[in-house]
């Protein structure tokens, strides 16, 4: 039984949402994916002003990164 059921992500060091601050999640996602992770991933970073386009951009970054591993 996998120990991880849900993870939260943010950029470092600013703890921003993907796309708000430049950060590559490849290494983190690679560890999760190669470890068989199948749970949820939540954005736990600060947004500043949230807009529909910034939310879409963040999700696109996460999907693209995950899919390219």
């Amino acid at each position: 039984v996998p120990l991880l059921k849900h993870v939260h992500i943010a950029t470092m060091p600013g703890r921003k949402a993907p796309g708000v601050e430049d950060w590559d999640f490849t290494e983190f996602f690679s560890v999760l994916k190669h470890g068989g992770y199948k749970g949820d991933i939540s954005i736990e970073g600060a947004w500043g002003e949230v807009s529909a386009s910034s939310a879409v951009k963040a999700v696109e970054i996460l999907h693209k990164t995950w899919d390219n591993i």
Side-chain angles (χ1 to χ4, degrees):
V1 175
L3 297 175
L4 293 177
K5 301 290 184 188
H6 183 90
V7 296
H8 294 199
I9 63 151
T11 64
M12 291 296 290
R15 296 206 33 83
K16 304 288 184 188
V20 173
E21 182 175 69
D22 190 33
W23 184 259
D24 185 1
F25 293 96
T26 303
E27 185 176 350
F28 178 68
F29 281 9
S30 181
V31 170
L32 290 175
K33 193 169 190 178
H34 290 107
Y37 184 72
K38 304 252 189 253
D40 295 328
I41 299 173
S42 294
I43 297 169
E44 214 31 57
W47 290 89
E49 287 192 35
V50 180
S51 66
S53 63
S54 63
V56 168
K57 182 179 179 181
V59 171
E60 286 175 349
I61 289 168
L62 299 182
H63 279 284
K64 181 180 176 184
T65 304
W66 186 268
D67 293 344
N68 287 328
I69 295 172

